[in-house]
Amino acid sequence: MGACLGVCSLLSCVSCLCGSAPCLLCGCCPSTKNSTITRLCFTFFLFLGTLVSIIMIIPGVEAELHKLPGFCEGGASILGTDGKVNCKSFLGHKSVYRMCFATAAFFFLFALTMVCVRSSKDPRASIQNGFWFFKFLILIGITVGAFYIPDGSFTSVWFYFGVVGSFLFILIQLILLIDFAHSWSQIWLHNADEGNSKSWYTALFFFTFLFYAVSIAAVVLLYVYYTKSDGCTENKVLISLNLIFCVVVSVLSILPKIQDAQPHSGLLQASIITLYTMFVTWSALANVPNKYCNPTLLVRVENSTTTAVPDGGQMTQWWDAPSIVGLVIFVLCTLFISIRSSDHAQVNKMMLTEESPAMLSGNTPALEDGVHRAYDNEEDGVSYNYTFFHICLLLASLYIMMTLTNWYRPDEHHQVLTSPWTAVWVKISSSWAGLLLYVWTLIAPVVLPDRDFS
């Protein structure tokens, strides 16, 4: 009898995996919007692919990957190179590229499928919000197929896809960060007007001071570790430029005209943007392909029998500090995209996450028989653009691919994994784009006074 009940319970779970999102909500969770559960489930797929990628670059696991049938066959001789290349030297790099290719292809497939879905009444909405077991099987199938892609020019071509995708995802991160900074400041200033103003203003001052202090310490450390008195001109210029830009942005944020147009604008937002800019600068300098100017440069050589390294390099551990911080920011931004919409209508319009009438009403359906379920909040209109959401996850897949491999690529002889200048300039240009975007949020109400930027 117990076995029968167990089988019935298992079958009910399987039916939920093949059905819609409401079945996936456990009894201990509060009733939640169907759209939120769906986004979290797709984000879980992305995190699962990320976890698999991380496991594959663990040294012990990486050393065993060559045992996969056919994984190194056909990769020993790479198109456009002379001689042989030891596949074992690039197993971690190859694995991450193929795993992230699979997740990117998975989200690209759904991005195409969900074009122009307007409400949950569209039959395709049921595919978006259900059939999770079959989606999981599709992801596994694409992943298995990706591991049999011949080397050829795949790595070189996919590297540039990763560069472009990562640049776009960094811009999305910056948009979310700017929105978060403005929301944080507005909420605390509102609380200061409503309650104990002294405590709230003290908290604002503390965090502003903290962020600027960390930023100044970061600038000092960047000059100490990534510049030399007799060289490293590029590093000195990049650090100095971003330092100057951050000072200009901070001064701009407290100008009287800006304050009149945006009373909630202040140094808290500027300090957050400054700190993030210093992080991006650090991440960029960690990719400078010059060991003399970049003491954290990692080099992996094609050598499976010794630990010797060329030109003062060191054997790659795939992880360095900028990669770890970047991974944490990636997780937070992806969850932010999945769980909530912005408090600002302009950001929702830009991110295609305008709330539907059902969500704006704020009404939560009553529980049926005391069971907590996800309820359909998209009958009158979707609460987020399905295609754009999948494109965001696609870009996140490319960003995590570049982060886990430190933006490295094989050299022209496919004997060493090196850091190209491309990675440096993509990161630096993204920091400049972020600063320009923040400046625009400050001056737009002054330049265009007739438009509503609330």
Side-chain angles (χ1 to χ4, degrees):
M1 183 65 181
C4 292
L5 291 175
V7 171
C8 292
S9 177
L10 179 62
L11 290 176
S12 66
C13 292
V14 171
S15 65
C16 280
L17 289 174
C18 298
S20 60
C23 288
L24 298 177
L25 197 65
C26 62
C28 61
C29 299
S31 294
T32 310
K33 303 179 184 74
N34 193 37
S35 59
T36 302
I37 296 297
T38 296
R39 284 181 284 183
L40 286 175
C41 288
F42 277 112
T43 303
F44 171 76
F45 284 160
L46 175 62
F47 287 167
L48 182 62
T50 302
L51 179 61
V52 172
S53 298
I54 293 174
I55 292 174
M56 287 180 173
I57 57 177
I58 295 175
V61 176
E62 183 184 5
E64 297 297 320
L65 286 175
H66 71 280
K67 296 180 180 178
L68 289 176
F71 191 38
C72 276
E73 295 174 8
S77 179
I78 299 180
L79 183 65
T81 64
D82 297 326
K84 299 292 183 178
V85 175
N86 185 1
C87 174
K88 296 180 184 179
S89 302
F90 303 101
L91 281 173
H93 189 274
K94 289 179 59 174
S95 301
V96 171
Y97 266 53
R98 281 154 177 77
M99 186 67 236
C100 292
F101 171 82
T103 55
F106 175 77
F107 292 121
F108 180 72
L109 173 64
F110 278 93
L112 289 179
T113 305
M114 299 300 158
V115 171
C116 295
V117 174
R118 303 300 183 189
S119 72
S120 60
K121 298 175 183 177
D122 191 310
R124 290 174 295 169
S126 60
I127 300 176
Q128 169 77 1
N129 298 315
F131 302 99
W132 298 103
F133 178 71
F134 296 108
K135 291 175 183 175
F136 184 65
L137 290 182
I138 292 172
L139 179 58
I140 291 178
I142 297 175
T143 302
V144 172
F147 274 79
Y148 287 93
I149 297 176
D151 281 317
S153 57
F154 171 78
T155 300
S156 299
V157 173
W158 198 238
F159 170 82
Y160 289 105
F161 274 93
V163 167
V164 175
S166 298
F167 177 80
L168 296 176
F169 187 74
I170 291 174
L171 292 183
I172 292 175
Q173 286 183 339
L174 288 164
I175 293 172
L176 297 177
L177 185 66
I178 293 171
D179 174 54
F180 169 76
H182 280 295
S183 297
W184 184 1
S185 178
Q186 288 178 10
I187 291 172
W188 280 25
L189 289 174
H190 175 75
N191 291 339
D193 294 336
E194 297 292 329
N196 187 347
S197 60
K198 184 177 180 180
S199 299
W200 288 107
Y201 284 124
T202 301
L204 280 171
F205 173 79
F206 171 78
F207 281 102
T208 301
F209 175 80
L210 176 64
F211 293 149
Y212 274 122
V214 175
S215 300
I216 293 171
V219 171
V220 173
L221 292 174
L222 290 178
Y223 275 117
V224 170
Y225 287 101
Y226 292 96
T227 65
K228 303 292 181 183
S229 58
D230 58 344
C232 306
T233 304
E234 297 91 345
N235 292 12
K236 294 176 183 177
V237 170
L238 294 178
I239 298 171
S240 301
L241 279 177
N242 275 3
L243 175 60
I244 294 171
F245 292 156
C246 289
V247 172
V248 171
V249 164
S250 299
V251 173
L252 186 64
S253 68
I254 56 175
L255 290 178
K257 285 190 176 181
I258 301 295
Q259 290 289 307
D260 291 340
Q262 291 199 81
H264 294 119
S265 174
L267 290 176
L268 176 64
Q269 299 98 309
S271 67
I272 295 174
I273 300 303
T274 298
L275 182 58
Y276 185 79
T277 301
M278 290 301 109
F279 159 70
V280 176
T281 306
W282 173 38
S283 179
L285 295 178
N287 279 111
V288 171
N290 184 340
K291 185 65 179 177
Y292 180 67
C293 300
N294 179 12
T296 60
L297 182 65
L298 303 174
V299 178
R300 188 176 189 113
V301 297
E302 183 276 305
N303 194 331
S304 61
T305 58
T306 70
T307 58
V309 291
D311 301 324
Q314 63 189 69
M315 289 299 290
T316 306
Q317 63 214 24
W318 286 108
W319 293 100
D320 58 2
S323 297
I324 295 173
V325 177
L327 181 62
V328 172
I329 295 175
F330 153 78
V331 171
L332 294 177
C333 287
T334 308
L335 287 175
F336 191 90
I337 293 172
S338 303
I339 294 175
R340 70 181 293 273
S341 297
S342 172
D343 297 326
H344 303 95
Q346 295 293 333
V347 177
N348 281 331
K349 186 175 181 180
M350 183 183 299
M351 299 294 293
L352 303 179
T353 56
E354 295 171 296
E355 302 290 3
S356 68
M359 295 182 72
L360 292 174
S361 65
N363 297 326
T364 302
L367 300 181
E368 299 178 4
D369 301 326
V371 177
H372 295 271
R373 288 186 176 274
Y375 59 91
D376 186 1
N377 62 308
E378 298 181 310
E379 292 182 348
D380 298 324
V382 295
S383 61
Y384 64 100
N385 186 293
Y386 290 176
T387 295
F388 184 78
F389 173 70
H390 288 297
I391 290 175
C392 286
L393 295 188
L394 185 157
L395 298 178
S397 300
L398 297 175
Y399 173 80
I400 202 62
M401 177 184 78
M402 304 304 290
T403 300
L404 292 180
T405 58
N406 294 307
W407 294 67
Y408 285 16
R409 60 179 300 186
D411 67 349
E412 61 273 14
H413 302 296
H414 287 259
Q415 301 297 314
V416 182
L417 283 174
T418 60
S419 177
W421 274 103
T422 305
V424 179
W425 289 113
V426 167
K427 293 180 180 181
I428 288 295
S429 59
S430 67
S431 71
W432 295 340
L435 289 170
L436 286 174
L437 184 61
Y438 176 62
V439 168
W440 173 248
T441 65
L442 295 176
I443 67 174
V446 178
V447 176
L448 302 171
D450 296 331
R451 291 191 59 181
D452 180 18
F453 291 95
S454 60

